[in-house]
Every structure is written in C-alpha cells, then in structure tokens.
Amino acid sequence: MTPNAFEALRDPTRARMLSDALARVTSKIGRDPVSVMHVCGSHEQAIARYGLRATFPAALEVIMGPGCPVCITDMPEVDEAVVLAQQGVRVTTYGDMLRVPGTALSLGDAKARGARVDVVYSISQALELARATREEIVFFATGFETTAVATAAVLLADPPPNFSVLSAHKYIPPVMEIVAEMPGARIEGFLAAGHAATITGWGVFEPFVAEHGIPVVVAGFEPLDILAGL
C-alpha cells in the first residue's frame, strides 16, 4: 500500500464517525455491554498504539483473546524441545520461547545447563545454520497460520537432511472453539485476523459460526479496519 493509502485508513474524521456509529448501535441494546473478542495480538497492538480503546463506547467491551502463540504453547511441547536439547540436538527457536516453562525446565534453563539452544529471527536463519554444519538442527516452530506458511515453505524447498522441525503451530478456529465452549463465556462476536484469513480464506470460520451462532468479522490492523470490523 502507498503511504497515502495508510493515511486514509488512519483518518481521524472517519474514525470519529465509526466510533459514533458504534455508540449508536450499542446504546440501542439496553443491557450489559456487548462483548467482542479479538484473537490476534496485532489487533491489540494497534488498539493500544492508536488509543482506540478510549474511543470505544461504554456499552462495548473488547476483550483480548488468545492472540499470542508463545503464551499458548503447551508444556508438553516445550518438554519435547527441552529433551531434544538435553540429548545433544541443536535446537533453534524464537527468543520468546526460551522463557516459556515446560513441566520441569524451560529452553532457557536447558541452555544455562549447557544444552545447544540458539535464538533465531526466522526459520530461514535456522536453515542457514543447518547448511553451514553437519550437526542435527531442529527448529522449534510456533505461531498461527501466518508463521506456519513460512515453516511450510522451507520444508517444501528441499532442506538438508540434518534439518527438521518440531512444530507447535496453532490453528485459530480450534482456539476460538475452546473460548466459545468455556463455562460462563459471554463472547458475542469475534474479530478475526486479516493476515491469517488472507492465507486460509474467511470461509474457514463458517463451520464455527454455524455451530455456535456467534458472528465473526475479519479485519486488518489499521484504525479504520478495526473500528469498521467492530
């Protein structure tokens, strides 16, 4: 997109119009606040960056969902990576994953005890390490649909035999299922991530909507995207 296109999606006048429209819609409901959950950390970052939460009407509650794939990585998945590292396998992963606790140890703990754990910024960097050595290199992969694409692309591009992936990738619809089925959950709508839906298509949410009767809107990450989505 051109700079002018981004400016158009950040237009304060249009943002105020959308905020006023949200206030009119929610004020007609006349009960507890309408609860909408976004399921992407990028939405929350944009909401904080542009101060959007201060523009939301009192009758609208926008809840932060399970948008961080690092935070929802299961202990057994971390345990698998720790065991590999303790067995002498060189494990590569993102820096945030070093602090995620397993049942007994984190990858950071294993590294402190002498295990080979390398921080990389992408799977491509891990692949470069594998091509530069004969050591067995394992990439501990995390993330939702967007980062899963990068992992798949590397695996389809004939990586060297000493390179493999331990996948802890997550898929958004099952996470939404868990939230919707939690006792006491009062989520009345979901704001889904635009970049993930670009990969999967928005139709991936149709079975969820049909089963739970909860609407889902796909939105990008500029202020007008988010306000219009809500």
Side-chain angles (χ1 to χ4, degrees):
M1 295 179 68
T2 64
N4 287 339
F6 279 116
E7 289 175 8
L9 291 171
R10 300 168 185 172
D11 180 15
T13 300
R14 293 182 179 180
R16 282 192 291 272
M17 292 172 61
L18 286 167
S19 295
D20 290 344
L22 272 173
R24 288 195 299 273
V25 170
T26 54
S27 66
K28 294 177 182 178
I29 296 174
R31 55 169 177 76
D32 293 336
V34 177
S35 297
V36 176
M37 176 178 282
H38 65 67
V39 291
C40 181
S42 295
H43 277 142
E44 185 60 32
Q45 289 174 358
I47 287 170
R49 178 182 180 185
Y50 297 106
L52 295 183
R53 203 169 290 279
T55 72
F56 296 158
L60 174 65
E61 182 181 15
V62 179
I63 302 168
M64 291 183 286
C68 174
V70 172
C71 299
I72 63 170
T73 301
D74 298 325
M75 283 187 177
E77 293 170 328
V78 176
D79 291 342
E80 289 182 57
V82 168
V83 169
L84 286 172
Q86 291 175 324
Q87 290 175 344
V89 176
R90 191 171 177 182
V91 175
T92 59
T93 193
Y94 302 119
D96 288 348
M97 290 306 304
L98 265 65
R99 300 191 298 272
V100 180
T103 304
L105 300 174
S106 67
L107 280 170
D109 296 329
K111 181 178 176 68
R113 298 183 182 191
R116 300 292 300 279
V117 180
D118 291 64
V119 172
V120 294
Y121 294 99
S122 68
I123 187 173
S124 297
Q125 188 178 354
L127 184 65
E128 290 172 7
L129 286 174
R131 286 178 172 155
T133 182
R134 293 184 178 179
E135 291 180 272
E136 184 179 357
I137 303 292
V138 171
F139 177 66
F140 185 28
T142 61
F144 289 110
E145 289 88 341
T146 44
T147 51
V149 169
T151 301
V154 165
L155 293 177
L156 290 170
D158 193 26
N162 64 325
F163 180 80
S164 58
V165 169
L166 174 61
S167 175
H169 283 300
K170 299 293 187 293
Y171 190 44
I172 281 288
V175 176
M176 293 168 59
E177 292 276 355
I178 292 170
V179 172
E181 293 173 359
M182 289 175 60
R186 200 172 53 83
I187 308 302
E188 298 169 86
F190 282 94
L191 197 66
H195 55 7
T198 298
I199 294 165
T200 64
W202 55 262
V204 73
F205 300 111
E206 289 183 335
F208 171 85
V209 173
E211 180 177 351
H212 297 282
I214 301 175
V216 177
V217 173
V218 175
F221 305 105
E222 293 298 326
L224 298 192
D225 291 329
I226 294 169
L227 289 170
L230 291 170

